[in-house]
Amino acid sequence: MTSRTAVIGAGVAGLSCARVLRRAGHYVEVFEAERIIGGRMATMRVGIVPYDHGAQYLTGRSPRFRRFLEELTASGYAAPWTPRVLKGPHSESATVANWIVGVPGMSSIVRPLAESVRIHTGQAVHTLSKQEDGWYIWFEDQSSVGPFAAVAVCVPAPKAQLLLGPLESMADHLSKVRMSPCWALMVRLDEALLPDQDVYSDMSDVIRWIARNNTKPGRNARGETVIVHASPTWSRETIDADPEVVAEEMWGEVCHIFSLPPSRPSQMTAHLWQHGLVDQSLGESFVFSREDRVGVAGDWCLGRLAEHAFESGFVLGRAIT
């Protein structure tokens, strides 16, 4: 039997799991469908302009995750962000003091987790199959790799269910998880147009979040970059819409909220997080079959935060070792 372990998904959960396995002496290979790692912790570049289009900040509640954030801050991968936040159009603004962000982008959060781990990007896993000598992973281009002694599936619950087809009872166990899509709008303005706050949340039925990305530490101060997240309900209703149409609609709503003069951003791009938010979690830290040597982890196991993903991946790694 081989000693190799495969991790599917290079988000926070997958990389947290991979680090535990690597430190325990496993030979670990991570397979990621996207061309960049980080999952919803990724930082997207439009041209040369970076945007934190997924997770906006981190907080540390558990001692283990707080220690991780302290390590990131001490090593320069992260820094505190103290934004002025307005929650709702009729509320008073307040300064938040316990938010942590990656520097120079949110993707920096996962860099220490990825050290010394072999990661294959652009590898969309299609099927898992078990043979006498271990597990084999099949990709969408019909190629395969293996054998592996164990597999950790660290992708959104709907995708995990599909991959766990051969393990029907485990796949069925994930059916109670509910996840919602989220449209993210990335906007670059040549000059500041928004009111003098840093973050606005729950501003309308369409818009859930607006952040001046350039106010985060370590960002380029020239011009202004804005991240807008749509509400889950609106995102579900427009999930099949053209991204260019979505971008126009979302920016039009922002202009309406703030009564902005007609303006055309120098950049405007919409991205759909198909499984961006967790509506109902599994209620368990992870799921692992000792007999089959296959497990699943993700933020959706415990909640919707990056901390939940980190904890879930960590304990799954411990279980596999």
Side-chain angles (χ1 to χ4, degrees):
M1 175 68 75
T2 178
S3 62
R4 299 163 71 195
T5 301
V7 176
I8 302 173
V12 173
L15 294 177
S16 176
C17 180
R19 184 171 74 160
V20 171
L21 292 168
R22 176 178 55 80
R23 289 181 171 180
H26 287 236
Y27 180 80
V28 185
E29 292 190 64
V30 180
F31 301 93
E32 168 57 46
E34 303 297 328
R35 59 180 181 82
I36 56 177
I37 66 172
R40 281 166 283 166
M41 201 64 63
T43 299
M44 175 183 283
R45 286 188 176 273
V46 180
I48 62 172
V49 182
Y51 296 91
D52 297 328
H53 64 310
Q56 296 294 293
Y57 63 91
L58 304 173
T59 58
R61 301 178 184 180
S62 70
R64 183 159 45 224
F65 194 63
R66 282 200 303 270
R67 287 194 298 271
F68 175 64
L69 293 182
E70 289 167 359
E71 293 171 9
L72 290 174
T73 303
S75 59
Y77 286 112
W81 183 33
T82 55
R84 293 160 296 171
V85 179
L86 187 69
K87 295 185 177 181
H90 306 297
S91 63
E92 296 290 331
S93 65
T95 300
V96 178
N98 62 341
W99 288 1
I100 301 295
V101 298
V103 176
M106 289 301 290
S107 60
S108 297
I109 298 296
V110 301
R111 289 180 187 173
L113 298 176
E115 291 176 358
S116 303
V117 174
R118 188 177 182 186
I119 301 175
H120 308 268
T121 57
Q123 295 283 342
V125 177
H126 184 270
T127 307
L128 301 178
S129 66
K130 190 175 184 181
Q131 301 181 24
E132 289 186 3
D133 56 348
W135 285 96
Y136 284 77
I137 295 174
W138 291 82
F139 304 103
E140 290 184 352
D141 64 1
Q142 301 303 311
S143 63
S144 65
V145 63
F148 293 96
V151 179
V153 180
C154 303
V155 297
K159 293 183 178 180
Q161 276 189 285
L162 294 176
L163 291 176
L164 293 172
L167 304 174
E168 187 174 346
S169 61
M170 186 181 290
D172 290 344
H173 190 56
L174 307 187
S175 60
K176 67 178 180 181
V177 178
R178 297 287 181 269
M179 304 189 76
S180 289
C182 177
W183 278 106
L185 175 65
M186 294 157 276
V187 171
R188 186 181 188 280
L189 303 168
D190 293 328
E191 58 184 32
L193 289 179
L194 271 61
D196 193 25
Q197 301 289 326
D198 302 316
V199 172
Y200 307 84
S201 66
D202 301 319
M203 298 301 290
S204 75
D205 291 338
V206 175
I207 302 301
R208 185 178 65 93
W209 174 272
I210 304 169
R212 296 167 64 215
N213 199 69
N214 52 287
T215 65
K216 295 178 181 179
R219 272 60 172 180
N220 192 327
R222 290 181 297 176
E224 183 155 71
T225 54
V226 181
I227 299 295
V228 185
H229 284 172
S231 69
T233 299
W234 193 83
S235 295
R236 279 193 294 269
E237 292 172 351
T238 57
I239 193 169
D240 295 322
D242 185 279
E244 292 186 6
V245 174
V246 168
E248 294 283 354
E249 289 285 337
M250 289 180 66
W251 180 243
E253 181 69 10
V254 171
C255 292
H256 173 72
I257 289 170
F258 296 122
S259 300
L260 300 179
S263 60
R264 182 73 185 179
S266 56
Q267 282 184 348
M268 190 166 64
T269 303
H271 172 84
L272 177 66
W273 294 104
Q274 189 169 8
H275 307 294
L277 298 171
V278 180
D279 294 327
Q280 180 176 314
S281 67
L282 184 65
E284 303 173 41
S285 299
F286 67 99
V287 180
F288 180 61
S289 168
R290 294 194 178 278
E291 179 182 356
D292 295 299
R293 303 292 293 168
V294 174
V296 292
D299 59 348
W300 49 267
C301 286
L302 293 167
R304 60 165 57 187
L305 303 177
E307 178 170 3
H308 295 141
F310 180 89
E311 292 288 340
S312 180
F314 182 94
V315 292
L316 176 59
R318 284 275 183 87
I320 293 173
T321 61

